[in-house]
Amino acid sequence: MSMFGTEGGGFDMNALLAQAQAMQQQMANAQAELAATTVEGTAGGDLVQVTMTGEGDVTAVVIAPTAIDPEDPETLGDLIVAALRDASTQVKALANAAMPQLPNLPF
């Protein structure tokens, strides 16, 4: 049903309300799906692995013993940052794919 498809060419507020409610439900479903999803970001050939929820919460960080060099802690820090960025990029891609597209509104 079109928002403008009413008899007499008037604006159909019920159609707009129904469309808004449907979109709200789609958003809630997408958010629930993201909350239940996890991604894994890695760096340094899996020397550092970061697990993150679809909401962006870090749930685990795994560091291979070979990545720990007391003489070079900066490299380990860089690997952790890179793994976090990798996971965050994946979360953003999931969110973009899961969220419903906004309809073309006439105003």
Side-chain angles (χ1 to χ4, degrees):
M1 172 184 280
S2 169
M3 290 182 288
F4 297 102
T6 61
E7 292 179 31
F11 184 77
D12 187 351
M13 191 62 167
N14 289 330
L16 180 62
L17 181 60
Q19 188 175 15
Q21 288 173 336
M23 188 162 34
Q24 185 178 23
Q25 184 60 48
Q26 290 173 346
M27 289 287 287
N29 291 344
Q31 288 172 336
E33 184 179 322
L34 283 174
T37 303
T38 60
V39 299
E40 186 175 282
T42 62
D46 293 339
L47 288 176
V48 176
Q49 300 172 350
V50 172
T51 304
M52 188 178 282
T53 69
E55 294 178 314
D57 296 325
V58 176
T59 58
V61 176
V62 177
I63 300 171
T66 56
I68 302 169
D69 180 357
E71 302 296 319
D72 186 15
E74 293 83 15
T75 297
L76 178 56
D78 291 344
L79 289 171
I80 293 169
V81 169
L84 285 166
R85 282 189 182 140
D86 183 35
S88 181
T89 298
Q90 292 179 52
V91 166
K92 288 175 187 173
L94 279 176
N96 287 337
M99 291 298 162
Q101 299 299 312
L102 294 175
N104 291 328
L105 297 177
F107 44 89

